[in-house]
Amino acid sequence: MNIWLAEIWRSWRASFRRPGFLLLATCVLGLGVGASAAVFALVDHVLLQPLPFPHASQLVVAGLDMGSGEPIVSSRQYRHLQSLHGVESIGLLDNGSSSVNVLGAGMPQRATVLRVDRYLLSTLGVHLMLGRNFTAQEDRPHGPPAAILGHGFWERNYGGDTGVIGKQMMVKGASHTIVGVLPARFDGFCRRYLRGCDIVLPAALSTNGSDATIGFLAIARMQPGATVRSLGAEVRARVHQLYASATDETSQWMNSQQFGTTNLSTALHARSRTVLVLFMASALFVLLIAWVNLTNLLFLRTLSRQRDVAIREALGALGLHRHLPVFAESLLVGVFGGLLGVGLAAVGLAVFRHFVPASWMVGGGPSIGAAVWVFALVSAVAVALVATWLGLWKGRHADTAAALHEDGRSGPDPRAGYLGRALVVVQVALATVLLAGAGL
C-alpha cells in the first residue's frame, strides 16, 4: 500500500510542477460539474425537500386527474369521499390563495386569504401556535365569521401580541373574530405551494354540495398499511357510485373521467417538476459535453505517456499498476474539478435568483449544502475516472514496444497527431449536437 501511495504522490507532484494539463482538464470538468451542481441545488431545494408535516408520506390527494398531476374535486365529490376505508381523516383546501382587502391592526392593506375546512389542519398534523381551529358552526354557510392568522401576518401587523385571540378584524368589509395563529413553518409551505396565506378562513361548504366549482384539493391521511393504489381504487368506486344513476350531461362526463389518488408531495410539485426536470436534463447534457472533452484530453494524455507505460510493462508492472500515474492524475482532476464546480454553482445560483419563480426561492432559496457538495465531488471524480478508463481503452492498441525504440525522436508520434486532429473534429461535432439538444 505504501508503494501505491508513493506512486500517487509522485504523480501529483509531477502534475503540480507542470500544471498546464491539470488546469485545462480542471476547467473543462469544472464547467460541466458547475452547471449540473447549480441545477441539482435548485432541484433539491424545490423537489427533494420533505413537506413540513409529520409522516408526510402518508398524505395523499384524491380527486379527478386533469392531466396536471394535481387531482381536484368539487364540493359534492368531497362530501361523497368522507369515511374512506384506510383513511384516518380527510380535509379540504381551496386550490390557491386570493387577495382581499383587510383592516385590523394598522392601516388597510391587501392580504392573501386561504380557505380550508375544519378538518384540514388536523389532517396535515398542524397544531396552532395560539388559539383553536374552526368549529362546526363556523365552517358552514352563514356561520359566525372567524379567521386564523398566518404567523408572518400576525408578527407584522400585531407585533406578536399573544392577546390577539378574540379580537376583530375586517375582511372584505365583514367583521371576523380572530380564533387562532398558525405556526411559522406553515407560512413557508403556503408561500411555496399556495402563493401565501396571511389569513385562513373557513371553506363553509354547503351541506348538499355541487359540481359547479371543481378546483378543491381533498387531502387525506392514510392509515398505516394503506397504499395509494388501494385508496385510489376506492375513490374511483365511490365517484362512479355517485354518478351511476345520473342522467345530466355534467354527471355523465364526470363518470367517464379518471379519478384516483397521488402523494401530496407529487401533487404539489406537479407544476414545477417538468420544468426542473428539463433544467436538470440540460445540465446533464453540459456535463456530458465536459465528459466527452475530458475523455479526448485524457486519451491524448495517454498517448503522450506511452513510453512511461512501456517502461513499466518491461519492468513487470501488471494491470492497474501500469497506468497508476494516469489514474492518480485523473483523481486530482476530479477533486479540483468538483471544487471548481461548486464555486461556479454558487455563482450560477446567484444568477438563477433573478430568473426563476419567487416560490422556488422560499426559505432563502437553494444553497450549497452537504448534498450539493457530495453531488459535485462524486460526479466530478466519477466522470474523471470513467473518462480515464475510456481514454485507456481507446489507446489499448497502441504499440508500447515500439515506444521503447523511439527514444531518439524529437517530435510527437505522427499517429497521435492524426488521431488527435480527428478527435478534435469529433469532439466539436458532438459538442454541437449536444448543445443543440440542450437548447431544444
Side-chain angles (χ1 to χ4, degrees):
M1 179 60 71
N2 292 333
I3 296 177
W4 285 63
L5 292 177
E7 288 271 5
I8 293 173
W9 176 241
R10 279 197 295 269
S11 177
W12 288 357
R13 288 178 58 188
S15 298
F16 288 132
R17 283 198 299 266
R18 302 181 65 181
F21 174 80
L22 179 62
L23 291 174
L24 177 61
T26 297
C27 290
V28 169
L29 181 58
L31 287 172
V33 172
S36 57
V39 177
F40 176 79
L42 188 62
V43 171
D44 178 63
H45 178 72
V46 177
L47 296 183
L48 303 183
Q49 294 299 314
L51 296 175
F53 306 123
H55 307 291
S57 61
Q58 297 178 349
L59 295 172
V60 298
V61 182
L64 169 64
D65 185 2
M66 299 289 289
S68 63
E70 191 177 56
I72 54 178
V73 296
S74 65
S75 59
R76 180 187 181 192
Q77 293 161 0
Y78 173 67
R79 294 291 187 192
H80 207 68
L81 292 178
Q82 303 298 310
S83 303
L84 289 168
H85 296 296
V87 168
E88 292 182 356
S89 62
I90 186 169
L92 184 87
L93 168 67
D94 196 349
N95 190 14
S97 306
S98 59
S99 182
V100 300
N101 293 319
V102 300
L103 175 60
M107 299 294 292
Q109 60 181 295
R110 300 287 290 179
T112 55
V113 169
L114 184 69
R115 292 187 177 274
V116 305
D117 75 347
R118 67 184 185 276
Y119 302 113
L120 180 74
L121 295 179
S122 59
T123 298
L124 294 176
V126 175
H127 301 285
L128 294 177
M129 196 189 74
L130 293 175
R132 59 170 176 82
N133 198 356
F134 300 123
T135 64
Q137 291 75 22
E138 291 165 344
D139 190 25
R140 60 178 176 81
H142 312 297
I148 296 176
L149 303 183
H151 190 273
F153 184 85
W154 169 64
E155 287 189 329
R156 291 192 305 270
N157 292 275
Y158 293 91
D161 180 15
T162 56
V164 71
I165 305 301
K167 292 185 177 181
Q168 300 293 311
M169 68 179 304
M170 302 295 292
V171 181
K172 296 178 65 175
S175 180
H176 287 64
T177 302
I178 300 174
V179 299
V181 176
L182 288 165
R185 62 175 181 169
F186 196 74
D187 277 14
F189 169 77
C190 287
R191 290 196 304 271
R192 176 173 294 179
Y193 301 111
L194 307 173
R195 297 184 294 277
C197 54
D198 295 327
I199 302 169
V200 177
L201 299 180
L205 297 180
S206 173
T207 54
N208 54 8
S210 71
D211 291 327
T213 302
I214 180 167
F216 301 105
L217 294 184
I219 300 175
R221 180 174 289 276
M222 296 187 299
Q223 295 176 350
T227 64
V228 175
R229 174 176 291 184
S230 63
L231 185 58
E234 186 172 356
V235 168
R236 287 189 291 273
R238 286 283 188 97
V239 174
H240 292 158
Q241 179 185 8
L242 173 63
Y243 297 112
S245 59
T247 58
D248 61 282
E249 184 176 345
T250 300
S251 297
Q252 291 178 353
W253 181 84
M254 288 288 187
N255 197 35
S256 66
Q257 299 306 302
Q258 183 66 36
F259 286 80
T261 57
T262 187
N263 291 105
L264 176 60
S265 177
T266 301
L268 293 174
H269 292 136
R271 300 176 185 177
S272 302
R273 187 180 302 275
T274 301
V275 175
L276 287 174
V277 167
L278 288 175
F279 277 10
M280 197 68 209
S282 297
L284 291 177
F285 268 123
V286 177
L287 183 59
L288 182 57
I289 294 171
W291 174 63
V292 172
N293 292 342
L294 188 62
T295 300
N296 290 332
L297 284 175
L298 290 172
F299 172 54
L300 296 177
R301 187 69 163 174
T302 301
L303 292 178
S304 70
R305 288 177 175 267
Q306 280 186 355
R307 178 172 172 76
D308 179 64
V309 173
I311 293 175
R312 287 172 173 272
E313 186 175 357
L315 293 175
L318 300 174
L320 179 61
H321 204 180
R322 287 184 299 169
H323 304 290
L324 186 59
V326 178
F327 278 104
E329 188 174 43
S330 67
L331 179 62
L332 195 63
V333 169
V335 172
F336 284 172
L339 295 176
L340 176 61
V342 170
L344 294 175
V347 175
L349 290 177
V351 175
F352 269 149
R353 296 176 186 276
H354 303 288
F355 299 100
V356 300
S359 61
W360 293 0
M361 296 292 112
V362 172
S367 59
I368 305 298
V372 179
W373 276 98
V374 171
F375 172 83
L377 291 175
V378 170
S379 62
V381 171
V383 166
L385 292 178
V386 171
T388 301
W389 180 83
L390 288 176
L392 293 173
W393 180 80
K394 288 199 292 184
R396 67 191 184 282
H397 297 304
D399 189 354
T400 55
L404 289 174
H405 302 288
E406 294 176 351
D407 189 27
R409 287 183 177 271
S410 59
D413 187 345
R415 293 170 298 175
Y418 298 147
L419 187 56
R421 286 191 289 272
L423 285 174
V424 169
V425 173
V426 173
Q427 175 180 322
V428 173
L430 284 175
T432 303
V433 172
L434 292 175
L435 283 173
L440 291 175

